[in-house]
């Protein structure tokens, strides 16, 4: 009888040990699953919100002075052309919690007109009538900068610098149409603050200073006219301008 009871105790102890082992194994498996799911969430969180796009629109003003030697009527005309509309677009990748890099594009357009004036075309042809002019500056660049998320990570402050190519176009209509074109190295410096309407959509102001210097340009006329113009040493056409814009920030 004692032997029977002893065997029974051994069997029960074995069953209890086996059950405890299975419970520990199941707990470890459950913990492994939990850790795996947490890792997936972490990976997903790291991939989420890694990209953002900004689109800004507003007022632009070129900083170059106008020559005093030209007639007052032409000075007033050129003064109007210094101010216009600016548009800017950026698509960037967040490298970490502070640094980003990507691509940027900006456009500045201004126009002005004069009526019933005596004009002289680049060919030397003189006439009486109206003239209008449209200036366009396009900039394409690589951008890198820093950002800080503020106030529950909804607001975002951005500061960046860009280096790229700047293109200039000046179209002026007399009796014939003439277009001057040029391109060179360009730079841009931007400061932005976006107020978070949601976590991924924000709106706010941008201050931008950008431009470049043109040393030569080409003129093409609708009448077949063509010429190259090169500035004297230490002389250049300044394309630098200040932009004050309002825009949107989309986080992907």
């Amino acid at each position: 009888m004692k032997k029977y009871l002893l065997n029974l105790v051994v069997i029960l102890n074995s069953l209890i040990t086996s059950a405890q082992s299975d419970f520990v194994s199941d707990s470890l498996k459950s913990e492994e699953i939990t850790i795996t799911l947490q890792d997936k969430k972490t990976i997903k969180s790291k991939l989420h919100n890694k990209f953002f796009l900004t689109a800004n629109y507003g007022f632009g003003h070129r900083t170059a002075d106008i020559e005093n030697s030209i007639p007052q009527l032409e000075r007033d005309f050129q003064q109007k052309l210094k101010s216009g509309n600016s548009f800017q677009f950026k698509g960037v990748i967040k490298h970490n919690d502070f640094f980003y890099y990507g691509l940027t594009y900006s456009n500045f357009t201004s126009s002005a007109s004069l009526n019933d004036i005596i004009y002289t075309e680049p060919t030397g042809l003189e006439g009486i009538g109206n003239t209008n002019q449209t200036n366009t500056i396009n900039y394409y660049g690589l951008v890198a900068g820093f950002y800080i998320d503020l106030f529950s990570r909804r607001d975002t402050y951005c500061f960046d610098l860009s280096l790229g190519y700047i293109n200039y176009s000046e179209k002026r209509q007399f009796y014939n149409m003439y277009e001057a074109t040029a391109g060179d190295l360009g730079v841009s410096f931007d400061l932005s603050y976006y107020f978070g309407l949601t976590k991924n959509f924000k709106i706010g102001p941008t201050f931008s200073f950008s431009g470049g210097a043109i040393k030569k340009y080409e003129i093409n006329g609708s009448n077949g006219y063509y010429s190259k113009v090169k500035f004297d040493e230490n002389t250049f056409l300044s394309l630098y301008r200040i932009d004050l814009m309002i825009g949107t920030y989309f986080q992907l």
Side-chain angles (χ1 to χ4, degrees), residues 3-252:
K3 184 177 181 180
Y4 175 77
L5 290 174
L6 182 62
N7 289 335
L8 182 61
V9 169
V10 170
I11 292 171
L12 289 173
N13 185 60
S14 177
L15 289 173
I16 292 171
T17 302
S18 176
Q20 289 177 339
S21 177
D22 290 341
F23 176 76
V24 171
S25 178
D26 290 342
S27 297
L28 289 174
K29 288 180 181 179
S30 176
E31 185 177 352
E32 287 175 0
I33 292 173
T34 303
I35 292 172
T36 302
L37 291 174
Q38 185 63 34
D39 288 342
K40 287 182 178 179
K41 289 180 180 179
T42 302
I43 293 170
K44 184 178 180 181
S45 177
K46 288 182 177 180
L47 291 175
H48 188 57
N49 298 339
K50 193 173 179 65
F51 307 91
F52 71 82
L53 307 173
T54 63
N56 302 304
Y57 179 81
F59 170 79
H61 182 76
R62 292 175 61 181
T63 60
D65 293 329
I66 300 172
E67 294 182 16
N68 293 322
S69 58
I70 64 176
Q72 185 61 44
L73 187 65
E74 181 69 15
R75 281 178 56 82
D76 294 340
F77 179 74
Q78 294 299 328
Q79 186 66 39
K80 292 179 182 179
L81 288 167
K82 288 180 62 175
S83 300
N85 298 318
S86 290
F87 169 79
Q88 182 193 75
F89 176 83
K90 290 179 190 175
V92 305
I93 300 172
K94 292 182 179 178
H95 180 69
N96 52 37
D97 288 340
F98 301 99
F99 178 73
Y100 63 85
Y101 59 88
L103 301 173
T104 182
Y105 165 76
S106 67
N107 170 273
F108 169 81
T109 304
S110 64
S111 60
S113 61
L114 289 172
N115 299 323
D116 301 323
I117 63 167
I118 299 174
Y119 59 77
T120 303
E121 294 190 359
T123 58
L125 176 67
E126 294 185 348
I128 299 176
N130 304 330
T131 180
N132 58 76
Q133 181 172 320
T134 300
N135 293 350
T136 304
I137 301 174
N138 291 300
Y139 174 74
Y140 312 84
L142 300 174
V143 63
F146 298 91
Y147 74 98
I148 302 174
D149 289 334
L150 304 168
F151 303 109
S152 301
R153 301 182 68 84
R154 284 209 168 191
D155 292 0
T156 299
Y157 166 79
C158 299
F159 159 77
D160 60 55
L161 294 170
S162 174
L163 181 67
Y165 174 76
I166 194 165
N167 172 264
Y168 176 69
S169 170
E170 178 182 303
K171 294 181 180 179
R172 188 158 184 177
Q173 177 74 53
F174 300 100
Y175 178 78
N176 297 290
M177 170 69 78
Y178 296 89
E179 181 179 13
T181 56
D184 211 323
L185 185 69
V187 295
S188 178
F189 162 81
D190 295 347
L191 287 172
S192 302
Y193 193 95
Y194 295 100
F195 300 92
L197 301 181
T198 68
K199 182 180 178 181
N200 298 321
F201 178 72
K202 311 176 186 187
I203 186 170
T206 291
F207 168 83
S208 177
F209 178 75
S210 62
I214 299 298
K215 297 290 293 183
K216 58 184 178 180
Y217 60 92
E218 299 179 351
I219 301 177
N220 290 276
S222 59
N223 55 354
Y225 175 84
Y226 173 80
S227 70
K228 287 185 177 181
V229 177
K230 187 175 182 180
F231 291 98
D232 296 332
E233 190 176 356
N234 299 323
T235 305
F236 58 89
L237 173 65
S238 173
L239 302 181
Y240 289 99
R241 75 178 190 273
I242 294 172
D243 295 328
L244 298 176
M245 299 175 286
I246 190 78
T248 54
Y249 172 113
F250 300 93
Q251 191 162 255
L252 306 177

